[in-house]
């Protein structure tokens, strides 16, 4: 069973700061997902990646397969980025995801 | 496209009652999933389906049943509700061309269930 650890659990920052959220897992995977859960509860998929780096707007996700580690970065953070960010991994030969417990991000104006 | 829809949004059940949580997707996705989210815990997979007529257990299937008679619908049945089933339930869907691989998952808005 893959263990997924996220850090930090909670993060509060000022508007404009560069944000980094980390995710580590214990067993090799076929893909890693980053999800955003809004304060209202809805969940949106941000990225799915299996190697390297992806960028969408102010969000950047990287993965290091050898280190079993991924990071989610937010540049020029904004209060609307306040949400819970969830990392999930997909094991090889498996359609199922294992989720981390999430990082609660609060951006103060 | 409406995406993934779930009904109801909220429900309160008494211990021992039964109910069905509805989930429908209009994206022609072959994979569908049911998760529960408890406070402070990661999402846990209850059941999933790789296509119509095919379902399989996830991590926490006890107390639940599912069926997948069509591509679009994947209802989750609670037969004898217990307080431990108080949670937020999310349905999700995705598309995969190959067994053992999955693409981006699209989530429904969730159903908040309380069992008293």
């Amino acid at each position: 069973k893959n263990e997924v650890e996220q850090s930090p659990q909670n993060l509060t920052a000022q508007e404009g700061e560069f944000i980094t959220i980390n995710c580590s897992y214990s067993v090799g995977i076929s893909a890693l997902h980053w999800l955003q859960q809004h304060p209202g509860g809805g969940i949106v998929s941000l990225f799915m990646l299996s190697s390297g780096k992806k960028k969408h707007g102010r969000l950047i996700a990287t993965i290091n397969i050898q280190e079993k580690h991924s990071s989610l970065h937010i540049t020029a953070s904004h209060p609307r980025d306040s949400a819970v960010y969830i990392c999930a991994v997909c094991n090889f030969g498996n359609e199922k995801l294992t989720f981390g417990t999430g990082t609660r991000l609060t951006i103060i104006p | 496209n409406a995406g993934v829809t779930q009904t109801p949004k909220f429900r309160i059940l008494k211990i021992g009652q039964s109910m069905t949580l509805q989930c429908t997707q209009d994206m022609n996705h072959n994979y569908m999933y049911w998760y529960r989210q408890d406070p402070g815990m990661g999402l846990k997979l209850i059941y999933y389906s790789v296509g119509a007529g095919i379902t399989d257990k996830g991590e926490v299937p006890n107390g639940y049943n599912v069926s997948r008679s069509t591509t679009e619908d994947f209802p989750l049945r609670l037969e004898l509700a217990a307080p431990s089933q108080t949670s937020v339930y999310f349905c999700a869907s995705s598309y995969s061309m190959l067994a053992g691989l999955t693409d981006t998952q699209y989530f429904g808005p969730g159903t908040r269930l309380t069992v008293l």
Side-chain angles (χ1 to χ4, degrees):
Chain A
K1 185 178 186 296
N2 219 331
E3 302 293 333
V4 181
E5 300 275 344
Q6 287 186 238
S7 63
Q9 282 189 304
N10 294 283
L11 178 57
T12 300
Q14 292 290 132
E15 182 173 356
E17 285 190 40
F18 181 81
I19 303 299
T20 296
I21 298 169
N22 297 299
C23 175
S24 297
Y25 51 92
S26 56
V27 178
I29 60 171
S30 60
L32 183 143
H33 298 245
W34 281 103
L35 308 164
Q36 179 191 54
Q37 185 166 25
H38 301 133
I43 299 174
V44 175
S45 180
L46 298 174
F47 295 103
M48 186 184 78
L49 63 166
S50 54
S51 65
K53 176 178 171 178
K54 285 192 176 180
K55 185 175 190 288
H56 182 69
R58 295 180 294 106
L59 273 60
I60 303 164
T62 64
I63 188 167
N64 184 320
I65 297 295
Q66 287 74 28
E67 304 263 320
K68 297 187 177 63
H69 181 269
S70 175
S71 293
L72 177 68
H73 305 286
I74 305 175
T75 61
S77 59
H78 189 276
R80 65 174 174 264
D81 297 325
S82 297
V84 176
Y85 292 85
I86 301 169
C87 169
V89 300
C90 190
N91 295 333
F92 286 110
N94 198 325
E95 305 87 357
K96 298 178 277 192
L97 293 179
T98 302
F99 293 81
T101 54
T103 294
R104 183 175 299 276
L105 174 67
T106 304
I107 303 297
I108 299 169
Chain B
N1 286 352
V4 180
T5 57
Q6 289 182 238
T7 57
K9 285 189 168 52
F10 304 93
R11 184 73 186 267
I12 298 175
L13 284 181
K14 293 182 180 177
I15 294 171
Q17 285 186 320
S18 301
M19 79 164 293
T20 299
L21 281 65
Q22 301 291 347
C23 175
T24 299
Q25 54 92 8
D26 62 0
M27 296 173 282
N28 203 31
H29 286 169
N30 48 354
Y31 285 32
M32 295 187 76
Y33 311 82
W34 273 107
Y35 298 99
R36 59 177 288 172
Q37 186 179 41
D38 300 322
M41 307 287 286
L43 287 151
K44 299 257 192 257
L45 181 65
I46 305 171
Y47 271 95
Y48 71 107
S49 168
V50 301
I54 306 169
T55 62
D56 206 351
K57 295 178 181 178
E59 194 179 348
V60 290
N62 291 344
Y64 307 95
N65 276 302
V66 293
S67 60
R68 182 104 181 264
S69 55
T70 66
T71 299
E72 296 78 19
D73 300 305
F74 190 40
L76 177 71
R77 178 91 179 149
L78 283 71
E79 290 294 348
L80 291 170
S84 60
Q85 293 177 305
T86 294
S87 190
V88 181
Y89 291 84
F90 289 96
C91 178
S93 71
S94 67
Y95 180 75
S96 177
M97 292 180 66
L98 295 172
L101 291 175
T102 186
D103 208 325
T104 300
Q105 291 195 15
Y106 295 82
F107 286 78
T111 294
R112 187 174 294 275
L113 176 67
T114 302
V115 182
L116 300 173

